[in-house]
Amino acid sequence: MLSRLNAEELASLEYEAKCAESRAKVPPKEREKWLNQRLAEQVQFAYQNAPAIKENFDKAGVSPSEIRTLKDLEKLPVTTKDELARLQQANPPFGGFLAVPVNSLSRIYVSPGPIYDAWGLERVKSVVRGFLMAGWPKPGDVVLVSTAYHMVPAGLFLTDALDMLGCTVVPAGIGQTELQVKLLHDLKATALFSFPSFTMTILKKAEEMGYDVRKDFNLKYTTGGGERHIQILRKTFEENYGLIVADGYGTADLGSVAYDCGLGQGYHYADEDCVIEIVDPDTGRQVGPLEVGEVVVTLFSQVYPLVRFGSGDLASYTDEPCPCGRTAPRITRILGMVGEHIRVKGMFVHLKELDEAMSKFPEVSKYQMVLRLEEHRDRITLNLEVEPGVDREALSEAVTKRCQEVFKLKMDKIEFLAKGTLPEDYQKFVDTRWG
Ligand SMILES: [Zn+2]
């Protein structure tokens, strides 16, 4: 457990949050100038302290002093998620991207890939600053954290930040919906941190159990993030349950890099923490407003200074003024994924992992993971082409177990297809959720 901030530390972080708040509203030209300056300093730091970054610059024939503006970043290659996984495996644990000794990190998380995620105090503090900027949760809030605690950052990084701020945390994790309802009620939790689809499941269960969420619970706040259909659920949370919803965009490798200002009009780039570009995945060039590209992030980090890291998410952005007065552009929507991985139920699955899971089953000739949105939830169907005469029930059970072992996700349905159903050039991932 990270220790709580003392009064002085809290005051200093509150001051930082205030400064960040006013900096977020400076005119665009001034913002650009400030960001360019920070970027120039950051790439110098990254070049000098992270060997893999130095190698990237040297290979591209670019000196860090040539990066003076956001546009200059185009001179550098984008490091994809798949490349990061490969580099980390060649040179574990962080592939030369870490700028501090490994044992100075407070947490090392493991994301599917596997990719090791470096989380230092710096990142947790930035989450606390985000809480302070949002105005909630506050010291004294009782927060039910209903996201996974196992290997991935989701549960523990929130707990770390809430601990620091002085909240009381209930580390509920995922599953056991009825118990979650009881915890919310008995412990008078004021906030529920979860993926929105699970929040919805908990709220529905509470009603089934005869509770009136507004009257019987003390719940005021909840979170979004990680899921595409948050906008639909957000309205339900606000209108039907009177909840305040905080929403942001981030990944396990990057932390939180963009946030919703509360108006639900997209995710403002988090200028304090990073520079965001939306780029053409084929050319690495920045695209214009409302054009589709990959979210590419350069972190302002003294710990894990990733430069031009491709998140794998496809999105578009707008620089139209936001009624909130903040001048940072906004990611308008996440539109899908690039590369050999998908994000489902708040987790990543690499194609490689699917291949690895299925390599144990020679009786399966082709396999395909199909993702759908059903009501408010992600659903996974695994299609299997099998030889005739296979014991389907036994195979189904073995495959389900194996998938859970390899990428920690439960298949909602396993469908058997006759041999030859899938064409030669079939896709192993089919995502129907983005239509
Ligand atoms: Zn705004």
Side-chain angles (χ1 to χ4, degrees):
M1 167 172 155
L2 292 172
S3 59
R4 293 193 174 191
L5 299 170
N6 61 36
E8 201 180 317
E9 288 164 335
L10 184 62
S12 132
L13 214 53
E14 271 168 348
Y15 177 72
E16 255 184 57
K18 260 203 192 98
C19 294
E21 204 46 62
S22 53
R23 217 165 14 231
K25 294 181 179 171
V26 301
K29 277 274 170 243
E30 211 175 301
R31 168 184 177 269
E32 199 183 314
K33 203 174 141 199
W34 178 75
L35 270 186
N36 285 342
Q37 201 176 340
R38 272 199 90 179
L39 176 65
E41 287 164 17
Q42 177 63 31
V43 293
Q44 287 286 354
F45 173 86
Y47 185 86
Q48 282 158 16
N49 293 280
I53 300 289
K54 181 176 188 304
E55 208 179 307
N56 273 350
F57 271 79
D58 293 350
K59 253 197 222 153
V62 178
S63 142
S65 61
E66 287 173 60
I67 309 295
R68 292 196 202 92
T69 66
L70 267 58
K71 190 75 186 155
D72 289 337
L73 282 169
E74 286 184 342
K75 295 173 189 166
L76 295 166
V78 170
T79 302
T80 64
K81 215 175 169 67
D82 293 329
E83 264 162 2
L84 181 68
R86 193 173 48 75
L87 289 166
Q88 284 192 347
Q89 270 157 51
N91 177 18
F94 293 105
F97 287 95
L98 195 67
V100 296
V102 173
N103 61 4
S104 73
L105 294 172
S106 51
R107 310 276 183 224
I108 297 170
Y109 296 110
V110 187
S111 296
I115 292 181
Y116 299 116
D117 303 315
W119 283 63
L121 193 58
E122 172 191 77
R123 212 176 259 186
V124 180
K125 271 196 169 167
S126 138
V127 178
V128 178
R129 200 182 51 226
F131 291 161
L132 292 168
M133 283 167 79
W136 75 271
K138 293 187 178 71
D141 269 315
V142 177
V143 185
L144 194 71
V145 178
S146 307
T147 51
Y149 274 81
H150 184 73
M151 293 204 206
V152 296
L156 203 51
F157 94 89
L158 290 169
T159 301
D160 284 342
L162 292 164
D163 268 348
M164 261 181 119
L165 186 62
C167 297
T168 300
V169 176
V170 187
I174 44 180
Q176 304 190 78
T177 317
E178 249 173 67
L179 181 58
Q180 303 258 5
V181 173
K182 190 170 162 48
L183 296 175
L184 272 183
H185 176 262
D186 292 357
L187 307 176
K188 299 189 169 49
T190 44
L192 170 58
F193 279 31
S194 170
F195 288 110
S197 56
F198 191 47
T199 301
M200 195 69 239
T201 304
I202 294 174
L203 295 174
K204 286 248 183 289
K205 174 61 83 180
E207 285 170 340
E208 256 174 63
M209 289 163 70
Y211 288 113
D212 178 333
V213 173
R214 281 179 189 257
K215 282 198 200 128
D216 302 330
F217 290 7
N218 216 8
L219 196 60
K220 294 184 184 71
Y221 315 109
T222 191
T223 50
E227 290 182 321
R228 186 223 163 205
H229 43 299
I230 172 65
Q231 292 312 341
I232 311 160
L233 291 183
R234 180 191 188 109
K235 249 179 119 75
T236 312
F237 295 153
E238 289 172 347
E239 288 169 12
N240 299 6
Y241 300 98
L243 300 177
I244 296 173
V245 183
D247 191 17
Y249 165 77
T251 72
D253 339 78
L254 296 164
S256 174
V257 294
Y259 61 97
D260 185 330
C261 59
L263 298 177
Q265 303 203 3
Y267 303 113
H268 285 285
Y269 299 178
D271 289 341
E272 298 295 320
D273 299 308
C274 66
V275 163
I276 294 183
E277 307 163 81
I278 309 293
V279 313
D280 181 325
D282 296 324
T283 64
R285 297 192 75 83
Q286 295 164 8
V287 301
L290 301 181
E291 286 172 18
V292 177
E294 182 179 8
V295 180
V296 169
V297 178
T298 298
L299 290 176
F300 291 144
S301 170
Q302 308 283 300
V303 175
Y304 198 40
L306 296 172
V307 175
R308 283 211 115 196
F309 177 69
S311 68
D313 285 321
L314 285 174
S316 59
Y317 78 97
T318 175
D319 51 9
E320 287 294 311
C322 181
C324 74
R326 291 176 181 82
T327 44
R330 283 160 286 152
I331 294 172
T332 46
R333 316 205 272 143
I334 302 296
L335 298 157
M337 304 215 66
V338 273
E340 298 187 317
H341 56 275
I342 44 128
R343 196 204 283 242
V344 58
K345 300 187 181 185
M347 302 274 285
F348 277 102
V349 183
H350 268 257
L351 184 57
K352 199 150 79 341
E353 289 175 305
L354 180 62
D355 289 341
E356 190 196 323
M358 297 311 297
S359 66
K360 286 269 154 85
F361 305 101
E363 63 273 47
V364 176
S365 49
K366 284 179 188 158
Y367 42 92
Q368 178 179 61
M369 196 183 266
V370 182
L371 310 171
R372 292 173 291 119
L373 205 55
E374 205 176 274
E375 294 197 5
H376 52 83
R377 281 193 244 178
D378 286 346
R379 289 277 158 210
I380 313 174
T381 303
L382 192 62
N383 288 329
L384 304 179
E385 261 193 28
V386 293
E387 304 292 335
V390 162
D391 178 347
R392 295 185 170 190
E393 202 173 317
L395 181 62
S396 193
E397 209 171 288
V399 167
T400 303
K401 192 164 162 247
R402 176 82 183 144
C403 288
Q404 245 163 341
E405 275 164 16
V406 178
F407 43 80
K408 297 172 195 67
L409 278 173
K410 192 173 177 327
M411 301 299 106
D412 296 295
K413 200 171 178 191
I414 293 196
E415 292 236 28
F416 289 96
L417 307 175
K419 230 183 147 179
T421 310
L422 294 168
E424 247 351 280
D425 59 346
Y426 80 107
Q427 300 280 323
K428 285 182 183 168
F429 286 137
V430 175
D431 195 346
T432 67
R433 299 169 299 169
W434 312 96

